Amino acid sequence: MRRTVLVCCGTGCLASGSIEVAEALQKELAPDVIIHGVEDACFVKKTGCNGFCENGPIVRIMPDDISYYKVRAKDASAIAKSLETNEPVLRLLYRTGGKAVLSQRENPFYSPQIKIALRNIGEIDPADINDYISRGGYTALKQALGMEPQDIIAQVEASGLRGRGGAGFPTGTKWRYAAGYEPTPKYVIANGDEGDPGAFMDRSILEGDPHSVIEGMAICAIAIGSSTGFLYIRDEYSLALANIEKAIQDAEDAGFLGESIIGSSKSLKLSIVRGGGAFVCGESTALMASIEGRVGEPRAKYIRSVQRGIWDLPTVLNNVETFANIPVIIRDGAENFAKLGTEKSKGTKVFALVGKVKRTGLVEIPMGVTLRHLIFDIGGGVIDDMPFKAVQTGGPSGGVIPENMLDLPVDFDTLTEYGAMMGSGGMIVMDSTNCMVEVARYYTAFLADESCGRCTPCREGLRQMLMILTDICEGRGREGDIELLEEIGSTLVDASLCALGKSAPNPVLTTIRYFRSEYEAHIRDKVCEAGVCPELASFAVDPVKCTGCTLCELTCPVGAVSGKQKEIYTIDSKVCITCGACRQACRFDAVVAIPRRR
Amino acid sequence: MALEAISKQEIKSLIESYENDRRHALRIMQDMQRIYNYVPREGLEALAERFSCPVSSLYSLATFYRALSLKPKGKNVIKVCDGTACHIRGSANLIGSIGRELDIAPGETTEDGMFSLELVNCLGSCALAPVMVVNEKYYSKVSMGQLAGIFNKIREGEDQ
Amino acid sequence: MVITIDGIECECEYGEFLRDIATRCEIEIPALCNHGGLPGQGCCRVCIVEVEIKGWKTVVASCIYPVEQECIVYTNSDKIKRQRAMVLSLMRARAPASKEIELLCSKFGASRNERFIEQEGEKCILCGLCAKTCESIGSGAISTINRGINKDVSTPYDEPSEACLGCGACSEICPTSAIEMEEQGSLRKIWGKAFDLVSCEVCGKPYATTQELDRNAKVLGEPASRLCDVCRRKAIADVLAKTFGS
């Protein structure tokens, strides 16, 4: 029987060795064509990211819909054999609740998902334009060419689609504004400078389904009357860059891009711009400055980019995920899209569920589901069933959300009311071994380095906030520090020049709001209960739990752990650098953080 | 590290492979970074001449963008992801251990010019945290015990 | 169009910058990175004000905010006072050696915050006016470098710059006197480079660097004047007096 063996070759699976798996499978299945003929042979296809990266490399057998996880090259012969015998390879199946499941539909990580932006990823070979076309690709572009630009925009408006990069501005409105301005040429830009630490949906889309972004951009260009576009993509995303480059070439060759799109009078020339490595370039005006070959400093947005954007000309800049949604809206109708989600946040959103969560990966679900559903039902809860402490959402512009707020729906507006934001969809789960003050210090350090440094509140405010937070983490916190942090934070919110500065204090302000007692413990008692801040914690071995397995001794980088196999180990606090490596290594929870009282 | 001679001709042909438009400045410097492991002064000055712009405006770019460096990097650049997911899964420990193993701090290069250590922003491989990338090869869920082996292997590869 | 600033009705054109309107109506809004000859930088954030449109209040930088509809402006609301004081306190920690900042701080009730780390001896507030000026007069000897909290202003490679003409425009425009220009006799030192000064043919005072005059001559296409500003003005006045005088 003819089958397709889909081997996930997203960055995550590649890192786990999926190329070797694909090659081994190809070798095993090479004689298949000779034995069974083309009609009935099994073919290997390399796909984009399946999202469940932690369990990669992932291999899927279609049309049987059997998924194998953590596949090694040496498993290839077993998989090849299973295709002959029709007996699945049990040991490679995903297990949940003691039961092995065949299909992704039975896997709790996948079953609640509804895929729009990620519709093709993991199903198609991103390097093959025909794969994209065979799943309805470029039909929306054909439709759009037959429509009045106003009708395309109306359709996008009716869908309720809002910008997936985080700001949530209505996409249709943006297009309508840009279409309404006289000056030409106009520009279309896809923002693929995914900078939020802990988010990788744009990378996945660019790698796994580049044509969906190209098609979305082409439809936008037709709607606003543009014939030039740019894709600004992080330089670190080498696979995404390679795939999008090929896709642009293939689309041009097939007549979907370039002069006279599908024989029409419209044209679109797309070029790739490799990001320079600056988080602030995720901000639209800084990104445009960067494309112009200047330093990526934002400008005040009193005059919007739709009126005066790149080279002072009307520009529509949308996020990669936003563009990937467009073809579906045009093809299947705005109503179908608007059926999903909440009243003000329509459709689905891709989330990167990472950190201390059991099932890590990319998840696409309708907006409005609760954080609890996302983290505990789809994500399976906290690793090792540790106590949940917080989830950080929205990257450095977002905030942390504590346990008692997990029933909040995730959409553009709700989390913002609570000081956090959905942002681009990063969800970082933290457990009791994560220190909230240290997390705030981490984000502040990140932003202090990544700010463009142009305006006083952001540059000098972050400098002082970072100093104070470092003091607190290292035991030099003072009374009044918390209030001062809040005060500086409020100035950043009001007085900074751009969105980076205005949202920069969110991690600090939310950790203070929801975990004030941790700050107080650091400042007053000089204690880091989580055992993260080295100056304020130390480690000891719990003699009841220790099995003498030697793992802690082997892991310790400075030789502070000693003991004999099968006996209880001890940590020499004079040598210990409180890096916490032994605690992470211990499988029996026997290394405990004890506050270092002064 | 012995610097390979920077050929003016090579720089010139690189610059001239792009149209004379200021917007290619970043891209050309990224190319230089790839070829020479840094943006050489000769390159910066040649570029200023090409665009008829002050050297200072390009120097400004080169110091602003993290993808560019004005000092040569080591033959093997170790990038340790310090994205949030990696951070809370112990990237700080990893950085500390690499530092001890190679006797360098982030941003530094070993004396023999073999390794540079860099902290980088999220590589989008959060599911595999903590992640380290050496010469485009990803190492996932890196534990400290693996480090010496990884670096020795890279050194051996260099010898061949 | 008429807008209200601090209760005063001000006539203005569509698109005019808010601070310009206020200045015309004799309402003072402090600013540091704004200079008549250059577009507002919008980066010092001392000129922040509150703008109310249809009941919605936002904080904007008045030097670069174009007025496009009727609005009510508050230049001294409690919020603005508080935020401006914080901005100035932060600035003071950045440039504790600047007398200008100290003065502004006392004027707007910004106290010195002893919790802040201060950059000893520093006068520069990184407004970038110097680099903008240098760029716009065509020298481009200095620029902002690095980013974030490591931002600075410097010549390339922190070396004396070939492009520098020693004209001193950067030092002139600096709102906090942060750029040192040393002059001794006919020698000027700036940005680590020494320049010979040319003396005025009339009064004998050293007034410009050779490089500056050469550049001016190149731009004008004729030999530059050998007179200092004062003497040149006087010479013009003399000519005018002779022509139109009684």
Side-chain angles (χ1 to χ4, degrees):
Chain A
M1 175 180 150
R2 187 189 172 93
R3 288 186 174 104
T4 313
V5 180
L6 302 169
V7 182
C8 178
C9 288
T11 296
C13 283
L14 284 178
S16 309
S18 66
I19 280 289
E20 288 81 6
V21 174
E23 280 166 2
L25 279 165
Q26 254 154 0
K27 215 162 133 191
E28 288 287 341
L29 295 172
D32 230 37
V33 184
I34 304 157
I35 299 165
H36 300 285
V38 178
E39 288 302 305
D40 286 316
C42 296
F43 292 97
V44 176
K45 188 181 273 186
K46 293 176 198 164
T47 73
C49 176
N50 275 263
F52 203 9
C53 312
E54 192 154 20
N55 285 273
I58 298 171
V59 173
R60 253 175 108 194
I61 313 294
M62 297 303 279
D64 310 57
D65 194 15
I66 298 170
S67 290
Y68 296 126
Y69 301 89
K70 296 190 178 175
V71 181
R72 302 281 164 233
K74 62 177 164 50
D75 298 319
S77 60
I79 292 174
K81 201 174 144 209
S82 80
L83 297 174
E84 290 291 328
T85 60
N86 288 323
E87 290 288 327
V89 189
L90 292 174
R91 65 186 160 87
L92 296 175
L93 295 172
Y94 188 75
R95 292 185 172 273
T96 175
K99 194 175 143 250
V101 295
L102 294 172
S103 162
Q104 287 192 350
R105 284 194 303 274
E106 301 163 82
N107 182 332
F109 180 78
Y110 289 107
S111 55
Q113 297 195 44
I114 295 177
K115 295 192 175 185
I116 297 176
L118 304 179
R119 60 193 176 278
N120 293 322
I121 303 178
E123 310 280 343
I124 63 165
D125 178 354
D128 187 349
I129 191 172
N130 291 319
D131 262 22
Y132 181 68
I133 294 168
S134 73
R135 287 178 60 93
Y138 289 114
T139 50
L141 180 61
K142 277 180 208 144
Q143 273 171 268
L145 282 167
M147 291 163 77
E148 288 298 319
Q150 290 303 316
D151 296 337
I152 301 174
I153 294 172
Q155 184 92 282
V156 176
E157 276 179 326
S159 74
L161 178 68
R162 293 169 66 179
R164 267 31 180 176
F169 192 84
T171 308
T173 311
K174 192 183 266 187
W175 291 17
R176 182 172 297 283
Y177 285 146
Y181 287 106
E182 286 286 320
T184 51
K186 296 177 184 178
Y187 295 94
V188 180
I189 301 174
N191 183 349
D193 194 43
E194 194 166 49
D196 282 1
F200 51 104
M201 53 286 291
D202 294 350
R203 195 202 64 193
S204 176
I205 293 170
L206 290 165
E207 279 178 8
D209 195 13
H211 288 284
S212 67
V213 183
I214 293 172
E215 188 178 3
M217 289 180 80
I219 293 167
C220 174
I222 293 165
I224 67 159
S226 160
S227 57
T228 314
F230 298 99
L231 294 108
Y232 191 92
I233 298 168
R234 272 185 76 180
D235 202 18
E236 291 90 335
Y237 287 181
S238 38
L239 183 60
L241 283 160
N243 286 0
I244 200 86
E245 194 171 340
K246 179 165 196 310
I248 290 174
Q249 189 57 52
D250 291 349
E252 273 179 20
D253 293 345
F256 297 122
L257 280 180
E259 296 296 323
S260 158
I261 299 173
I262 325 180
S264 71
S265 60
K266 315 276 184 194
S267 68
L268 177 63
K269 173 90 186 115
L270 288 184
S271 2
I272 299 171
V273 178
R274 299 195 311 242
F279 174 73
V280 67
C281 287
E283 201 278 345
S284 59
T285 58
L287 187 150
M288 291 177 206
S290 185
I291 296 180
E292 291 175 14
R294 295 188 288 117
V295 164
E297 285 181 355
R299 62 162 177 82
K301 280 191 180 170
Y302 303 136
I303 298 165
R304 284 187 297 252
S305 319
V306 284
Q307 183 181 356
R308 254 190 261 160
I310 192 162
W311 292 298
D312 280 340
L313 289 158
T315 306
V316 164
L317 183 144
N318 281 135
N319 173 263
V320 159
E321 189 186 333
T322 312
F323 279 126
N325 275 297
I326 297 291
V328 180
I329 291 170
I330 300 296
R331 192 186 67 200
D332 301 344
E335 321 74 51
N336 276 319
F337 186 87
K339 266 187 221 156
L340 297 166
T342 66
E343 196 199 333
K344 286 185 175 160
S345 302
K346 300 291 186 198
T348 57
K349 175 79 191 85
V350 184
F351 296 100
L353 197 55
V354 301
K356 303 286 183 67
V357 64
K358 281 182 187 161
R359 290 191 280 266
T360 299
L362 285 185
V363 178
E364 182 171 359
I365 41 166
M367 278 195 265
V369 301
T370 64
L371 285 164
R372 194 181 297 283
H373 176 62
L374 198 55
I375 297 165
F376 286 89
D377 298 339
I378 298 177
V382 182
I383 295 180
D384 294 338
D385 293 315
M386 294 285 284
F388 171 92
K389 189 185 240 174
V391 56
Q392 207 283 345
T393 65
S397 315
V400 297
I401 288 167
E403 225 254 308
N404 62 11
M405 284 162 58
L406 282 181
D407 292 311
L408 289 177
V410 188
D411 58 30
F412 281 109
D413 311 300
T414 310
L415 298 184
T416 312
E417 285 169 36
Y418 294 86
M421 60 156 76
M422 181 176 81
S424 61
M427 296 265 162
I428 299 142
V429 177
M430 303 188 187
D431 66 13
S432 58
T433 64
N434 293 121
C435 167
M436 290 299 112
V437 187
E438 206 277 334
V439 165
R441 192 203 58 79
Y442 164 81
Y443 280 110
T444 308
F446 175 87
L447 289 160
D449 183 43
E450 291 291 346
S451 153
C452 78
R454 190 167 159 202
C455 76
T456 314
C458 183
R459 183 189 63 241
E460 301 305 328
L462 287 170
R463 186 201 307 280
Q464 301 298 349
M465 287 171 94
L466 177 58
M467 178 273 296
I468 296 168
L469 288 163
T470 308
D471 273 1
I472 297 175
C473 288
E474 293 178 358
R476 295 183 303 271
R478 302 184 203 167
E479 285 299 324
D481 277 356
I482 301 177
E483 292 72 18
L484 184 55
L485 284 171
E486 287 174 319
E487 219 183 308
I488 305 173
S490 95
T491 299
L492 258 79
V493 171
D494 279 329
S496 294
L497 187 145
C498 79
L500 184 147
K502 285 179 189 296
S503 61
N506 284 350
V508 179
L509 296 176
T510 49
T511 45
I512 292 178
R513 188 160 160 188
Y514 302 120
F515 297 94
R516 199 180 183 101
S517 62
E518 269 193 54
Y519 278 83
E520 287 164 350
H522 279 69
I523 295 170
R524 285 179 202 153
D525 311 326
K526 311 291 176 203
V527 165
C528 175
E529 298 282 358
V532 174
C533 300
E535 277 82 357
L536 305 182
S538 57
F539 294 100
V541 177
D542 181 342
V544 182
K545 287 181 176 168
C546 179
T547 63
C549 75
T550 76
L551 210 54
C552 52
E553 188 187 2
L554 292 172
T555 314
C556 179
V558 290
V561 189
S562 57
K564 280 198 188 118
Q565 198 173 4
K566 292 187 178 156
E567 283 176 25
I568 296 159
Y569 275 71
T570 52
I571 298 171
D572 183 349
S573 62
K574 288 193 195 74
V575 183
C576 175
I577 55 169
T578 41
C579 69
C582 52
R583 182 166 60 156
Q584 261 175 359
C586 182
R587 292 185 191 139
F588 308 98
D589 248 349
V591 180
V592 288
I594 49 171
R596 180 187 284 184
R597 310 261 169 201
R598 291 196 174 184
Chain B
M1 167 178 143
L3 274 177
E4 280 132 55
I6 309 274
S7 146
K8 286 209 164 143
Q9 193 49 48
E10 193 179 33
I11 287 179
K12 191 164 176 259
S13 50
L14 165 70
I15 292 175
E16 284 172 5
S17 68
Y18 290 91
E19 56 183 318
N20 191 351
D21 186 339
R22 177 66 204 268
R23 75 182 171 91
H24 297 303
L26 175 58
R27 184 149 189 188
I28 296 172
M29 285 198 267
Q30 284 172 324
D31 286 351
M32 289 182 193
Q33 182 79 39
R34 252 160 238 209
I35 299 169
Y36 305 111
N37 253 347
Y38 75 120
V39 180
R41 189 167 180 160
E42 297 88 328
L44 208 72
E45 284 166 354
L47 200 55
E49 207 178 308
R50 164 81 162 177
F51 293 144
S52 319
C53 72
V55 178
S56 68
S57 67
L58 298 174
Y59 186 77
S60 181
L61 278 188
T63 55
F64 184 89
Y65 291 110
R66 206 49 95 233
L68 307 172
S69 67
L70 292 167
K71 282 190 195 134
K73 287 184 184 170
K75 275 190 181 166
N76 305 286
V77 181
I78 304 163
K79 296 178 180 171
V80 179
C81 177
D82 197 28
T84 321
C86 287
H87 185 78
I88 67 164
R89 283 201 199 169
S91 62
N93 290 339
L94 187 59
I95 294 154
S97 296
I98 297 171
R100 279 188 293 275
E101 188 71 40
L102 298 174
D103 198 21
I104 43 172
E108 292 180 355
T109 302
T110 52
E111 274 181 21
D112 58 359
M114 194 62 93
F115 294 102
S116 286
L117 176 58
E118 277 179 21
L119 250 63
V120 297
N121 290 345
C122 186
L123 292 164
S125 306
C126 311
L128 314 168
V131 173
M132 173 175 91
V133 182
V134 188
N135 305 335
E136 304 292 315
K137 183 172 164 51
Y138 281 68
Y139 297 87
S140 55
K141 297 192 179 174
V142 189
S143 75
M144 302 180 199
Q146 295 170 280
L147 290 173
I150 294 173
F151 298 145
N152 282 337
K153 224 173 171 179
I154 293 169
R155 279 210 173 88
E156 280 162 23
E158 287 282 340
D159 289 341
Q160 279 159 16
Chain C
M1 195 161 61
V2 177
I3 62 167
T4 313
I5 307 179
D6 293 344
I8 300 167
E9 293 200 340
C10 303
E11 279 269 349
C12 64
E13 298 287 322
Y14 176 90
E16 250 190 291
F17 291 130
L18 185 49
R19 187 164 176 273
D20 295 342
I21 303 167
T23 309
R24 201 172 53 235
C25 299
E26 293 176 352
I27 297 163
E28 194 205 342
I29 302 174
L32 286 160
C33 69
N34 186 283
H35 187 277
L38 289 170
Q41 306 293 297
C43 61
C44 77
R45 315 308 279 183
V46 175
C47 73
I48 48 170
V49 298
E50 259 186 300
V51 171
E52 184 182 334
I53 296 170
K54 292 172 191 147
W56 281 88
K57 277 188 187 175
T58 43
V59 176
V60 304
S62 60
C63 73
I64 52 167
Y65 181 80
V67 175
E68 293 182 331
Q69 54 187 307
E70 282 175 14
C71 57
I72 308 166
V73 181
Y74 308 90
T75 73
N76 254 320
S77 61
D78 284 345
K79 186 177 201 169
I80 291 299
K81 275 189 209 156
R82 207 171 57 237
Q83 309 295 31
R84 186 178 287 145
M86 177 55 85
V87 169
L88 283 167
S89 291
L90 289 167
M91 227 176 231
R92 186 173 183 162
R94 156 78 207 177
S98 162
K99 289 272 169 291
E100 290 85 348
I101 298 299
E102 203 185 317
L103 248 143
L104 262 186
C105 281
S106 55
K107 188 168 172 185
F108 290 95
S111 53
R112 174 167 176 258
N113 195 318
E114 51 81 41
R115 185 72 177 94
F116 289 168
I117 26 164
E118 292 189 348
Q119 269 148 310
E120 220 179 303
E122 185 60 78
K123 287 180 176 174
C124 171
I125 54 160
L126 291 172
C127 69
L129 267 182
C130 52
K132 266 275 159 352
T133 307
C134 189
E135 187 193 333
S136 59
I137 62 171
S139 301
I142 51 171
S143 63
T144 59
I145 60 160
N146 302 331
R147 68 185 193 203
I149 57 174
N150 297 313
K151 191 125 188 156
D152 209 344
V153 174
S154 165
T155 53
Y157 299 94
D158 212 10
E159 289 173 4
S161 158
E162 255 179 62
C164 180
L165 304 172
C167 71
C170 52
S171 173
E172 189 88 358
I173 203 162
C174 176
T176 58
S177 318
I179 300 173
E180 275 179 44
M181 188 164 81
E182 249 181 85
E183 270 183 32
Q184 267 184 337
S186 63
L187 202 71
R188 176 184 284 176
K189 266 192 194 165
I190 190 167
W191 291 109
K193 198 174 162 187
F195 296 88
D196 285 326
L197 290 173
V198 176
S199 298
C200 172
E201 283 175 355
V202 176
C203 68
K205 208 184 101 189
Y207 73 100
T209 67
T210 344
Q211 289 87 336
E212 203 184 342
L213 293 180
D214 287 350
R215 204 273 319 263
N216 288 356
K218 215 166 153 189
V219 173
L220 295 169
E222 57 180 74
S225 162
R226 291 286 163 189
L227 307 181
C228 73
D229 273 357
V230 181
C231 294
R232 198 175 64 237
R233 256 180 257 134
K234 220 176 129 215
I236 295 169
D238 285 348
V239 173
L240 290 174
K242 269 184 201 146
T243 318
F244 301 105
S246 47

